[in-house]
Each structure stands twice: as structure tokens, then as C-alpha cells.
Amino acid sequence: MWSYEPPLRAMRFVIDEVLDAPADWPRLPAHADFDADTAAAVIAEAGKFVSEVIAPINGAADLEGCKWTPDGKVTTPAGYRDAWRAYVDAGWPALACDADLGGQGLPLLLNAVLNEMLAAGNHGWTMYPGLLHGAYECIKAHASPALRERWLPGIVSGETLATMCLTEPQAGSDLGQVRTRAEPQADGSLRISGNKIFISGGEHDLTDNIVHLVLCRLPDAPAGSKGLSLALVPKLLDDGSRNALRCDGIEKKMGIKGSATCVMAFEGATGWLIGEPGRGLNAMFVMMNSARLHVAMQGLGHLEAATQNALRYVHERTQGKARPAPANGLAASMTVAPQRGGAAGDPIALHAPVRRILSRLQALAEGQRVLAYATAQWLDRAEQHPDAAEREKALGHVELMTPLLKAMLTENGFLGASDALQLWGGYGYVHEYGIEQTLRDSRIAMIYEGTNEIQALDLVQRKLLGDEGRRLGALLDEFAAEAAACRAASEACDRDALGTPVLREFATALEDAIVAFRAGAEELAQVARDDPGWPAAVAGDVLKAFGLVALAWGWARSARAAARHPGDAWYAQRIVIAGHGRDWLLPELRLRLELVRPCGRELPWLVKA
């Protein structure tokens, strides 16, 4: 009853036409020989792998879960090991790794597409390779040549998996409270002792070895986050013996039951320093930022899977009588227009509340895909562009978009799954129909890799206010350029199939959103000088407002690309979906910006009952 079909055409539309990525690759030396046909072939193979290997084991693995035994061993659900072997044999872990390190050297944009598919097909399984690329980036950037030579080949190939060991029982998001100790040894190694919790893939049966990247504290290190260092601690040492670490249990969780979330004990385990002493967070942030973008793709994947399954169901489910559809308008432009039923009733796809819900989910999924892929494209530019100014500008865009995408896409993944479940009615509440698992699985993405509240604080305090609006101004200028492009294109392509001046409307809506957000950000900066606590109180509203402006840009870009194909029903539907976002979702921007203004409001203090 539940299936996932990778939306290959929609993905290629964003890559090839909305973002024009194939024209960008020749400007990046590492990708100069990469082209649209090769990208299409890679995406098609990824879609085939996910739909044939990963997605079919999703539901059964949710029921089976992982098994832990008192000797510290963890067994993953049936099919997981075979799927991992197939994943490694196909070379997917090496997709975006440097060619001179054994990787395929493909753009990070392609890795983002792969991650969306994997999360949509099987979130629990995807947790095991989910941190692999971040570990690769961290070790490549900060480890000694000896550690890079020893560990990167296995990580690139997928023969060795990796974890990120941050959290401790007394230290959740406040990493300055970490107590795990690192004692230097005469041979240059460290002895790591401490306990970590919520460690995804801390123990499993997919690979023989696991590399743990562990936040720890050297002797005489200062208190707080400035005293943290980072160590590489393998499960198995080079002589094949087991290191002094073990899994003391796995969590019984609300979702992603196929992922082993482990309690880890390090009891004098052998490890090696990554980076400089006391600069552990600096090294770890490479992995954390990679993980946050990966988690954002989980949110997008959940939303896509929920939307396409709900869309199929509402065309099949008949109930009640709907008002007749007009001969012209939205119904006439639908790619698959539902037919009115007989005595059993009409497809519920014809009912206005159902149309409202699914149109919202479609607009979010398609708009967010543009934002996620654009951020991956900027990340490629930040790493590969030969011009330093272009690298700096692209990096600024990525720094702003990372907390936004992590928070917005995961929230919409969960809330979208909840809205979609409503369309099944009572059937949605039972396991056989699949959506209840998606709802449970998607909830964790709002919590880990920094809760969404932390992402909002990061966006507002460090990214928007921290540099006096420099990065924000540059990104809003990029958004404004799209509004100008839409307005210019409206002269050549003025009306869509519905007879509306579509591109001009997108241009105006985006221009107005940019002006409003600029004014709101400037006012917030002024208020923060007198009331430094106010930005924290409204950070979530600022993030949502910023997300709506970014979505307005994504919808405008999609509409302009689709408008180049007049008379094509599939492209017309892209304009309809983007137009729904513009007309029904974007108006929320006014509310969010109004909440950002102080206007005498105060947050109450919470008192125990």
C-alpha cells in the first residue's frame, strides 16, 4: 500500500532547468568534464537502487527493529546487510569524494539528490551512511597525514562506517558540559574514557570496523567548549583486536527503528587526536554542518514520499459528492484530472479541503527542492570555484541556508506527513498504510543535529545579526535578481495556460517579500541593541519568515523555467503548484514579521504547578 517512486523528472527539472547546473559545472575545475547526460544517468541509477533495494525493506524493518545482546552486539533488521553490501559494491559512498582519494569526484549536488531518495525510501537504513560524508570531510580537513592515509580509503569505499560521538547524559546541546577524558600516551595516542548517548550506528553488523569521532577533554583543558578536543577512536585496532569500547544498549524509539541508537562506553579506548588540542568543535563543525544538510534532505524526502502516496490515495478513494469542477481554471490544468465517481461517491481528490492540503504539500516539496539543490550547488562553488570572491559569496549563502534548511525542511517533513495522514482517515493510523511510520520517522529530524530552536538561534544571532547583515544582503540581492529576471521574461512569455500574467505576479510577490524582510531584519537589529534578549524570543518567527522569502524565490525560479514550455501540461502543473505557494503560503510572511516586532509583548516566566 505504500511505495516510493523517485521523482526523477522533477529532480532533473530543478537541476537542468531551474538551476542550470550543467552550465555551472564547466566553471568548476573538478567537475569540468561532468555534463547533464552523465548526471541524468547517475540519478536514474540511484532511483533504481532506492526503489528496488532500499525502499522495499522499509516497512518490515520498522516492525522488526534492531536487536542488542548483553555482550554489546547489535543486529540490524533483515535485508539491511545485503542492502549495505549492494550500496558499497555500486560505489555510492564514494560519489562525492575526491577522485585522488578513491572517490568518484562528482558534485555535491548529486549527493544531495541521492540523500533525498535514500531518506524517502528508508530513513532507518539511511542513518548508517548518513554521517559518512561528514566524517570524510572532517578527517580530510583536520586529521594528520597518517590518520588520513589510514582511515580515509575505508570511509570513501564504505568498508568502514563512522559515528559522531557528542552527546552525554549531562550534556545535551550544551557541549561545553562534555566530560569524556582523553589522556595522552607516550606513543602519541590517547586513552579515551567516558560515556556517550544517542549515538547513531554506534554498533551494528553492517561493517567490521566503525570509526568513532569523539568529543573529549584533555588534562588541564579549560572548562566549556573551548576545552574540547576531537579524537578518532576505531572499534577495531590494526592488529584486529577489539578496542576498549562497547555498546551498553540501544534505545527503544518512536521511529527510525531500523537505526541502532546506541549508548556507548569508552573505557581507556585507544584513539588519536584530530586537529589541534582544544579545537575539537572547530573540527567537528565540518561534520556537523554536513550532517545538518543531510538531515534537511531527510525532511524533504519524508515530505515527498508522504505527498506522492497521499496523492495516489485521494484519486482512488471515493466518498461523498464534490462540487462540479469548472471547465477552466486549476482543474483544467491538472496533469491527472480526477473523474467524478458514480453511486459510490467522487474521488476525495475533488473535495476542496483535500485539494487545499495536497496543494500545500506539493508547493512545499517543489519549492524546498529548489532551495536544497541550490544550496548544494553553492557548496560546490564554495569548494571548487577558481575565483576567491565567488567562493566567498557562495559560502555566505551556504552559511545562511544551512540552519534554515535543517529547521524548515524537517518541520515541514513532519507536519506534512501529519497533514497527509489526515487524508487516509482511520486507515492512516494503522501500520499497513505506511504513513504512520513516516510520521514517526520524520519527527526525530527536528531534534537531532541541533534542535530546530537551536537552528533558529544560530540563524538570527550568528548569521543575521553577527555580521551586521552582510551575508543576508548578498543572498537577498540574489533573490532580487530572480525577481528582475521574471519581470523581464514576462514580456516574452506573458501568460500561462490559465490566462494570467504569471511571471509578473511571481516577480511582484518576490519583490514585496524581499522588501518586507529587509525592513524586518533592520528593525530587529535596532531592537537588539536595546533589548538583546528579544531576538531569541522571536528567532523561530524570523526563521519561518526567512524561509517564506526563500521559497518565494524557489517558486519564482521554477515558474520562469516552466514558462519556457508553453502548452506542455507537465510544465503547466509546475506553474500551478508554484502559484499556490505564492498565493496561499507566502501571505504567512506578514504574520511572522508582525510577531518579530516587539509591540509591548513579553514572554511569561514558567512557574511549576
Side-chain angles (χ1 to χ4, degrees):
M1 297 181 185
W2 183 268
S3 65
Y4 169 67
E5 189 68 31
L8 302 182
R9 187 175 185 183
M11 290 169 164
R12 289 195 59 190
F13 169 65
V14 175
I15 293 170
D16 296 346
E17 301 185 63
V18 178
L19 300 178
D20 197 17
D24 205 31
W25 291 326
R27 305 184 186 101
L28 311 178
H31 308 314
D33 297 329
F34 196 65
D35 57 32
D37 290 341
T38 307
V42 171
I43 293 169
E45 282 300 312
K48 181 180 179 182
F49 179 82
V50 171
S51 60
E52 294 181 359
V53 178
I54 302 300
I57 60 177
N58 184 39
D62 177 64
L63 294 177
E64 180 183 353
C66 294
K67 296 180 177 64
W68 173 85
T69 56
D71 60 357
K73 293 182 180 179
V74 172
T75 304
T76 57
Y80 268 38
R81 286 187 56 143
D82 290 342
W84 179 252
R85 191 69 257 165
Y87 187 75
V88 171
D89 290 345
W92 294 115
L95 186 72
C97 298
D98 292 351
D100 58 0
L101 293 173
Q104 299 181 41
L106 300 190
L108 289 167
L109 174 54
L110 270 292
N111 210 44
V113 176
L114 173 64
N115 286 336
E116 178 192 340
M117 293 186 199
L118 290 171
N122 191 330
H123 185 177
W125 185 91
T126 304
M127 293 297 294
Y128 295 98
L131 294 174
L132 203 56
H133 192 80
Y136 157 82
E137 294 283 4
C138 179
I139 294 171
K140 183 181 74 169
H142 293 284
S144 67
L147 286 180
R148 292 199 298 268
E149 182 179 354
R150 169 63 184 88
W151 296 106
L152 279 180
I155 288 174
V156 169
S157 69
E159 295 296 336
T160 301
L161 277 166
T163 75
M164 181 166 57
C165 295
L166 282 68
T167 307
E168 299 180 4
Q170 80 290 343
S173 298
D174 185 4
L175 296 177
Q177 300 296 320
V178 163
R179 297 174 185 165
T180 296
R181 305 183 310 280
E183 300 175 2
Q185 303 299 300
D187 62 358
S189 66
L190 301 171
R191 289 290 179 266
I192 308 298
S193 300
N195 297 285
K196 300 288 184 177
I197 61 172
F198 299 144
I199 308 305
S200 298
E203 180 59 56
H204 53 72
D205 56 0
L206 303 185
T207 59
D208 292 334
N209 211 351
I210 302 171
V211 169
H212 301 283
L213 300 187
V214 184
L215 273 185
C216 51
R217 198 176 295 278
L218 289 164
D220 302 323
S225 60
K226 292 183 179 180
L228 293 176
S229 297
L230 183 63
L232 185 154
V233 185
K235 171 184 172 180
L236 300 179
L237 299 173
D238 284 348
D239 62 4
S241 63
R242 178 71 181 249
N243 208 346
L245 59 89
R246 69 176 185 276
C247 172
D248 277 348
I250 58 176
E251 305 293 349
K252 291 190 64 176
K253 306 185 299 293
M254 174 180 175
I256 56 169
K257 294 176 183 284
S259 170
T261 304
C262 300
V263 177
M264 299 298 298
F266 298 86
E267 299 178 325
T270 299
W272 293 269
L273 186 68
I274 293 180
E276 301 175 18
R279 300 275 291 168
L281 274 184
N282 181 61
M284 183 59 83
F285 266 120
V286 174
M287 191 174 186
M288 291 170 67
N289 284 329
S290 174
R292 286 170 179 173
L293 291 174
H294 181 257
V295 171
M297 302 314 294
Q298 293 171 2
L300 178 58
H302 283 301
L303 181 61
E304 171 63 36
T307 300
Q308 61 177 246
N309 278 276
L311 189 61
R312 182 175 61 252
Y313 179 77
V314 300
H315 280 78
E316 298 169 351
R317 173 69 167 169
T318 57
Q319 188 168 330
K321 290 293 183 179
R323 293 182 60 185
N328 297 309
L330 287 176
S333 72
M334 292 182 67
T335 305
V336 182
Q339 301 298 313
R340 293 178 65 80
D346 292 331
I348 62 173
L350 288 172
H351 294 288
V354 172
R355 287 158 47 204
R356 175 82 180 268
I357 290 172
L358 269 171
S359 294
R360 174 183 174 82
L361 301 190
Q362 288 179 306
L364 287 173
E366 298 202 4
Q368 289 178 166
R369 183 171 291 117
V370 174
L371 301 185
Y373 290 10
T375 302
Q377 183 181 29
W378 288 326
L379 193 53
D380 280 321
R381 290 180 190 170
E383 293 188 0
Q384 305 288 347
H385 203 285
D387 183 82
E390 286 296 320
R391 292 198 302 272
E392 182 180 3
K393 182 173 75 170
L395 180 60
H397 293 351
V398 172
E399 289 172 340
L400 274 178
M401 294 298 292
T402 297
L404 172 67
L405 291 179
K406 194 281 178 183
M408 181 172 72
L409 271 60
T410 59
E411 180 170 312
N412 286 330
F414 172 71
L415 296 179
S418 180
D419 287 343
L421 187 151
Q422 195 75 9
L423 301 176
W424 273 271
Y427 292 118
Y429 204 63
V430 297
H431 186 268
E432 287 82 355
Y433 285 80
I435 185 62
E436 64 88 28
Q437 181 189 343
T438 297
L439 182 67
R440 290 185 287 105
D441 286 352
S442 63
R443 186 59 180 87
I444 185 57
M446 297 172 64
I447 299 172
Y448 56 20
E449 304 308 334
T451 66
N452 285 1
E453 292 77 13
I454 288 175
Q455 304 303 318
L457 291 172
D458 176 51
L459 174 69
V460 173
Q461 296 177 334
R462 296 183 63 239
K463 306 296 171 57
L464 299 186
L465 301 178
D467 70 348
E468 299 181 345
R470 177 185 58 82
R471 283 171 291 194
L472 175 63
L475 186 55
L476 292 181
D477 287 345
E478 182 121 0
F479 291 173
E482 178 56 41
C486 280
R487 194 167 293 284
S490 69
E491 300 301 322
C493 181
D494 193 46
R495 293 182 179 274
D496 70 351
L498 305 183
T500 59
V502 61
L503 294 182
R504 192 176 300 122
E505 291 184 8
F506 279 102
T508 299
L510 179 54
E511 289 164 348
D512 291 347
I514 292 169
V515 169
F517 191 78
R518 280 192 199 272
E522 290 172 0
E523 183 177 11
L524 181 65
Q526 294 172 357
V527 171
R529 296 186 186 101
D530 298 326
D531 184 0
W534 183 250
V538 297
D541 296 295
V542 176
L543 186 142
K544 287 182 172 63
F546 182 44
L548 288 165
V549 177
L551 282 168
W553 174 76
W555 292 323
R557 288 203 72 151
S558 294
R560 183 164 63 89
R564 302 188 189 110
H565 303 271
D568 187 297
W570 189 87
Y571 286 102
Q573 183 67 359
R574 309 282 73 72
I575 298 174
V576 169
I577 290 171
H580 181 84
R582 178 197 65 209
D583 295 339
W584 291 79
L585 277 64
L586 187 57
E588 185 185 337
L589 176 63
R590 293 192 295 270
L591 167 64
R592 294 300 170 184
L593 291 177
E594 182 62 30
L595 290 172
V596 170
R597 303 181 63 208
C599 299
R601 295 189 305 274
E602 293 184 1
L603 284 175
W605 294 101
L606 302 180
V607 179
K608 289 184 179 180

